[in-house]
Amino acid sequence: MAMRSHYCGLVTEALLGETVTLSGWVNRRRDHGGVIFIDLRDREGYVQVVCDPDRAEMFATAEGVRNEFCVQVKGLVRARPAGTTNDKLKSGQIEVLCHELNVLNASVTPPFQIDDENLSETVRLTHRVLDLRRPYMQKNLMLRYKVSMEVRKFLDANGFVDIETPMLTKSTPEGARDYLVPSRVHDGQFFALPQSPQLFKQLLMVAGFDRYYQITKCFRDEDLRADRQPEFTQIDIETSFMDEQDIRDMFQGMIKNVFQTALGVDLGDFPVMTYQEAARLYGSDKPDLRVKLEFTELTDVMADVDFKVFSAPATTPGGRVVALRVPGGAAISRGEIDGYTEFVKIYGAKGLAWIKVNEVAKGREGLQSPIVKNLHDAALAEIVKRTGAQDGDLIFFGADKEKIVNDAIGALRIKVGHSEFGKASGLFEDRWAPLWVVDFPMFEHDEENDRWVAVHHPFTAPKDGHEDLMVTDPGKCIAKAYDMVLNGWEMGGGSVRIHRAEVQKKVFDALKITPEDAQAKFGFLLDALQYGAPPHGGLAFGLDRIVTLMTGAESIRDVIAFPKTQRAQCLLTQAPSPVDEKQLRELHIRLRNPDAIKA
């Protein structure tokens, strides 16, 4: 007989009275006093199989099956008896009366029950093949496939061509560390795995392909977090003869289409916010707009107060003082405030000043905090006025270098908004919150090395009219760069690229990259730009992040089939691993301290 006529999870009332052939895995086997029930599972879900003792051979086989046996069932679809239906399953109104049962392959006892939801991640990643059998993981990876297909359909319909770029390429140490691959043929030389196809996709525009895309692996040897992996998947896109607005409009349409078709979600309008506005109000270039809390600027107010914690940063170039008003926050306990104080220290803050607003009408007497005595009446009145504070509110303060204030109070804003208090008091709005952040600065200053570095990458075009600022005042130069943000995650970003060699030279000059260095690192791109390179631009989306957002998973590891741990290891295959001496000799490599490595 055929191996399968239907998927288990798709057997419904529409098949009542029909004979079906199913293949899958035994999720559970239950013996109910002479009748054996098997919950049979495949990638589409579960179906209940009933084994009666009147078919002796089949029943004897059923008595021997155990969890995770791979079996084939032939049987009759019938309605479940009244009171035994399961509305949570597509197949919950029916069951299959087993006529024939064939064990395709037995299983040893698995290390965990497949429907156990309380597994440690170490156990899951070590036994990843079994973990991937779990409906949660199957659903995630099927959604990932659907998202990829919808992206491909959209791009194909809009004239984009899928072109592969090399995995073995040249190391250009800008940004994160490269993964290096030693060459056996060229003694002492190395390939690098690509951090992105950036240079190659620009070359494809110069080559005249006009609209390119690729869903491809990228590699970065960096410290990992929940939303980072050493290898990750990028939806990489580049276009010619489209300006910044055209590009944003097209790919906003793509993402809206993907969410609608793959998830049934209408993302609605995408507000547009400048980087400067995002930093001013939220201290972040990827603000979570679901949290209804904003910064209040107080730098000017604090310049003349006696409290040095506030006045020092307020009067120091690059310093900032802000308030974060939490409506109803006076209900937050002192213990919770102490917890938030420790939390902001993670981001470099030295502490967390606060004021509880008990009664606005009483002025100074209506404010409760150790810092109130250090602030003059005019400053206190201005704090209340600017924040719009009302009775029962709590005001947090950040005062330090601008980056520390933005990072610390920006993170505090998210933590308070997502807390039980934040959700209960309406400070968090449960919705999809998309956003474009635009007008990024071209450069940021690396204080440690006293040099300017590119915010995105050194091939990003400046705003029209800003070309000369790259020489005279790099800090004021704005880029044609844009990020798409959703629920506080950067889903993707990109820029219009530099297509003229003389503009590219000004960027390199601002970054103190000499002509010799530029030629050595990027010569192949610079040479190509001389041959009538078209105006071009593009962006890249993180496929892993998009699917993580869609599923609500806590980590992108839950939407990747075979991910690495936060220590960049694969627990399933035990990679990375040592290699034998013969392989090292062929690659002209000698380990500097082999004993330490083995330890």
Side-chain angles (χ1 to χ4, degrees), residues 325-332 390-394 421 425 427:
R325 172 199 165 207
V326 181
I332 295 174
Q390 298 175 12
D391 297 352
D393 290 353
L394 175 66
F421 167 81
S425 56
L427 302 181

Side-chain angles (χ1 to χ4, degrees), residues 82-147:
T84 66
T85 58
N86 184 348
D87 293 335
K88 293 180 181 176
L89 299 179
K90 275 187 188 175
S91 63
Q93 306 302 310
I94 58 90
E95 59 190 19
V96 175
L97 179 62
C98 188
H99 293 169
E100 298 174 32
L101 177 61
N102 180 23
V103 175
L104 301 173
N105 208 344
S107 170
V108 296
T109 303
F112 53 83
Q113 178 62 34
I114 296 300
D115 52 13
D116 184 351
E117 295 297 328
N118 298 308
L119 301 171
S120 76
E121 191 171 55
T122 299
V123 168
R124 290 177 55 206
L125 293 181
T126 302
H127 303 281
R128 187 60 159 185
V129 176
L130 292 177
D131 185 45
L132 288 173
R133 285 186 185 176
R134 297 194 306 132
Y136 169 73
M137 289 302 300
Q138 299 243 322
K139 182 182 170 192
N140 286 358
L141 290 183
M142 294 295 280
L143 179 62
R144 183 186 177 109
Y145 162 72
K146 198 169 182 183
V147 168

Side-chain angles (χ1 to χ4, degrees), residues 1 15-22 36 38 40 48-62 71-78 95-103:
M1 63 179 175
L15 296 170
L16 281 170
E18 292 189 28
T19 298
V20 295
T21 303
L22 311 173
I36 292 172
I38 293 172
L40 195 62
Q48 178 171 283
V49 177
V50 183
C51 304
D52 282 338
D54 54 359
R55 296 177 187 264
E57 187 180 344
M58 176 275 295
F59 193 77
T61 304
V71 302
Q72 181 188 47
V73 168
K74 185 175 182 181
L76 178 71
V77 180
R78 70 182 188 186
E95 59 190 19
V96 175
L97 179 62
C98 188
H99 293 169
E100 298 174 32
L101 177 61
N102 180 23
V103 175

